[in-house]
Amino acid sequence: AMARAAANAVATGKMGDNTVMMSMAESMGKQFLETGWAKAVPGLERSMVGLRPYFAVDNVYVKRKMLRVLFPFAFRNWARHEAGADAEGKISYAPPQHDDNAPDLYIPVMSLLTYVLLCALCYGTAGKFDPDVLPDVTTKCLGFQLLEVIAIRIGFYLMEAPVPLLDLFCYTGYKYLGLVINMFSGITVGHLLGYGHRAYYFTYLWTATAVSYFILKVMANCIPRITSAVGPKRQFMVLGFAASQFATCWFVSQTKFLE
């Protein structure tokens, strides 16, 4: 069935269309679940079902979300769209395709992969490339992000404010988009004019500020107005979460071999 879908896409000349590719990926995922292969691995089926909404994106959402992350000062509406509530009163929210404020994992994952490849390119152009660069940069980024998520999770716990763990990985992963812009700017300007370091940090000031403001607005909408009376103050936690983006963007920067 998957082979026939691919053949039809090629025959109609639409293989390059992202919409067709996304539909094919969704069909493959559904078939994977239905055939029972996912059920053969304990916990895999549940994990895939839980991750599916975070990859329910389209081209329009990706473009708008990237603009929202890089230019958050131009936006005013940061509230999530409510899709309804269950019998217990638990509110469900619209997926990314229908809500620009919904968290997704597509942009963070793609941005992280792109950033790692740009770091490898930076090392390569300086004649210092080593295969270990790829896992080293990836491990460093994910390690700092994990520590950041744990710290934020503890803050939410102390405030008695519930938040899905995957949402935190989404929000803290948007910094990779800014890191991609920084590294691309550093490599390009360094190659053309020889000011790679200056270009990187000039761009860093913008992207780190933008991502911090983005997290500020997102967290302000995630944390309820009324929190635990004995926990940390809401406004201090929001500012702390936002400021952490500046620090982590700095720590995972790879500028040693920029020209």
Side-chain angles (χ1 to χ4, degrees), residues 66 68 73 89 91 128 133-134 152-153 164 188 213 247 258:
M66 291 174 67
R68 187 173 286 269
F73 314 102
I91 299 175
K128 303 293 184 180
V133 170
L134 299 176
I152 295 176
R153 182 76 169 185
T188 304
Y213 185 81
L258 285 175

Side-chain angles (χ1 to χ4, degrees), residues 177-189:
L177 178 60
L179 290 171
V180 168
I181 303 299
N182 300 344
M183 184 58 70
F184 180 78
S185 174
I187 293 175
T188 304
V189 176

Side-chain angles (χ1 to χ4, degrees), residues 141-213:
C141 290
L142 293 178
F144 274 104
Q145 185 180 5
L146 180 60
L147 293 175
E148 187 178 13
V149 168
I150 293 175
I152 295 176
R153 182 76 169 185
I154 292 174
F156 272 85
Y157 175 78
L158 294 176
M159 291 185 294
E160 298 181 0
V163 61
L165 184 62
L166 286 177
D167 283 11
L168 296 182
F169 277 100
C170 296
Y171 293 134
T172 57
Y174 288 121
K175 69 168 69 67
Y176 298 127
L177 178 60
L179 290 171
V180 168
I181 303 299
N182 300 344
M183 184 58 70
F184 180 78
S185 174
I187 293 175
T188 304
V189 176
H191 179 72
L192 297 176
L193 303 175
Y195 297 104
H197 273 94
R198 296 182 182 180
Y200 182 95
Y201 287 113
F202 178 80
T203 311
Y204 164 83
L205 291 176
W206 171 261
T207 56
T209 302
V211 173
S212 296
Y213 185 81

Side-chain angles (χ1 to χ4, degrees), residues 4 12-14 38 40 42 99 108 112 182 188 193 216 226 237 239:
R4 288 197 299 270
T12 55
K14 296 181 179 179
D99 182 9
L112 174 60
N182 300 344
T188 304
L193 303 175
L216 177 71
I226 301 177
M237 296 303 294
L239 290 174

Side-chain angles (χ1 to χ4, degrees), residues 1-16 20-21 23-25 27-28 31:
M2 289 184 287
R4 288 197 299 270
N8 292 334
V10 173
T12 55
K14 296 181 179 179
M15 181 59 76
V20 175
M21 296 300 292
S23 299
M24 289 178 58
S27 299
M28 292 170 63
Q31 184 174 357

Side-chain angles (χ1 to χ4, degrees), residues 116-130 132-134 136-137 140 183 187 253-258:
V116 172
L117 293 176
L118 285 175
C119 290
L121 176 63
C122 177
Y123 277 64
T125 54
K128 303 293 184 180
F129 177 76
D130 186 284
D132 291 336
V133 170
L134 299 176
D136 287 348
V137 174
K140 184 177 181 179
M183 184 58 70
I187 293 175
S253 296
Q254 301 288 325
T255 62
K256 181 166 58 174
F257 296 114
L258 285 175

